[in-house]
Amino acid sequence: MRYTIREMSPAEYPLLEDFLYEAIYLPEGTAPPPRSILNEESLRVYIREFGSRPGDVCLTAEAGGQAVGAVWARIMDDYGHVDDETPSLAISLYPACRGRGIGTDLLERMLARLRQDGYKQVSLSVQKANRAASLYRRMGFEIFRGTEEEWIMLRRL
């Protein structure tokens, strides 16, 4: 699959709702939740008024003229919150585009962008059972703290 990675334009920010929904981890055999789950405050924080805060940045992978994945960062009090100086990441791809290296490319580009923007570190939250956790470890993220089900991971930049 041929794709390009570019900064998402503000006109495309409404797509973040779709990508946020795709970012919800579902163990195998689990039915997807209703889209109304995106109305919960714990999830709205990732996308509400995206682009209005200093440091909000989003990159998208585009294939065939369509956005097929996104990675975005903002300083927020989310599941992956470490402190008020560390942006948290969210990343997702449409299912048909997973397993092709697109997520790795998106993540590499975002880490470079955040470093360029002067951030010292970035965090994320991931369910321990999510296979993406191994990608994050390969990309240099380390476990910062955890619960029974998830880790908050941190990557120095």
Side-chain angles (χ1 to χ4, degrees), residues 119-132:
Y119 292 103
K120 305 288 186 227
Q121 59 188 13
V122 62
S123 67
L124 57 79
S125 173
V126 63
Q127 296 289 316
K128 291 178 180 180
N130 188 333
R131 67 183 185 150

Side-chain angles (χ1 to χ4, degrees), residues 22-28 91-104 107 124-139 149 151 153:
E22 292 297 333
I24 297 169
Y25 173 68
L26 299 174
E28 194 168 328
I91 184 170
S92 73
L93 298 162
Y94 290 133
C97 300
R98 296 175 186 161
R100 301 170 183 248
I102 299 170
T104 299
L107 193 52
L124 57 79
S125 173
V126 63
Q127 296 289 316
K128 291 178 180 180
N130 188 333
R131 67 183 185 150
S134 63
L135 165 66
Y136 302 142
R137 284 185 157 167
R138 283 194 319 270
M139 299 292 296
E149 295 181 2
W151 288 312
M153 300 183 86

Side-chain angles (χ1 to χ4, degrees), residues 111 115 120-122 140-142 144 154-157:
L111 294 174
R115 187 179 311 108
K120 305 288 186 227
Q121 59 188 13
V122 62
F141 283 83
E142 298 176 349
F144 178 71
L154 192 65
R155 168 71 153 70
R156 307 274 181 216
L157 299 171

Side-chain angles (χ1 to χ4, degrees), residues 14 52 54 57 84 89 95 103 116 141:
S52 67
V57 62
D84 293 338
L89 284 182
Q116 175 186 341
F141 283 83

Side-chain angles (χ1 to χ4, degrees), residues 33-153:
R35 284 189 66 92
S36 61
I37 195 170
L38 297 177
N39 294 324
E40 292 184 14
E41 182 56 29
S42 61
L43 295 176
R44 295 295 315 157
V45 69
Y46 287 90
I47 58 174
R48 182 188 312 106
E49 299 175 356
F50 191 85
S52 67
R53 298 182 194 173
D56 283 359
V57 62
C58 181
L59 303 177
T60 188
E62 182 180 292
Q66 301 286 335
V68 297
V71 59
W72 64 103
R74 76 183 330 186
I75 295 177
M76 60 184 152
D77 190 4
D78 69 323
Y79 290 111
H81 182 76
V82 172
D83 61 40
D84 293 338
E85 305 297 318
T86 303
S88 296
L89 284 182
I91 184 170
S92 73
L93 298 162
Y94 290 133
C97 300
R98 296 175 186 161
R100 301 170 183 248
I102 299 170
T104 299
D105 288 348
L106 277 168
L107 193 52
E108 286 175 346
R109 292 280 294 275
M110 180 58 80
L111 294 174
R113 170 66 186 271
L114 293 172
R115 187 179 311 108
Q116 175 186 341
D117 289 350
Y119 292 103
K120 305 288 186 227
Q121 59 188 13
V122 62
S123 67
L124 57 79
S125 173
V126 63
Q127 296 289 316
K128 291 178 180 180
N130 188 333
R131 67 183 185 150
S134 63
L135 165 66
Y136 302 142
R137 284 185 157 167
R138 283 194 319 270
M139 299 292 296
F141 283 83
E142 298 176 349
I143 297 168
F144 178 71
R145 67 177 172 253
T147 66
E148 188 174 313
E149 295 181 2
E150 71 182 0
W151 288 312
I152 294 175
M153 300 183 86

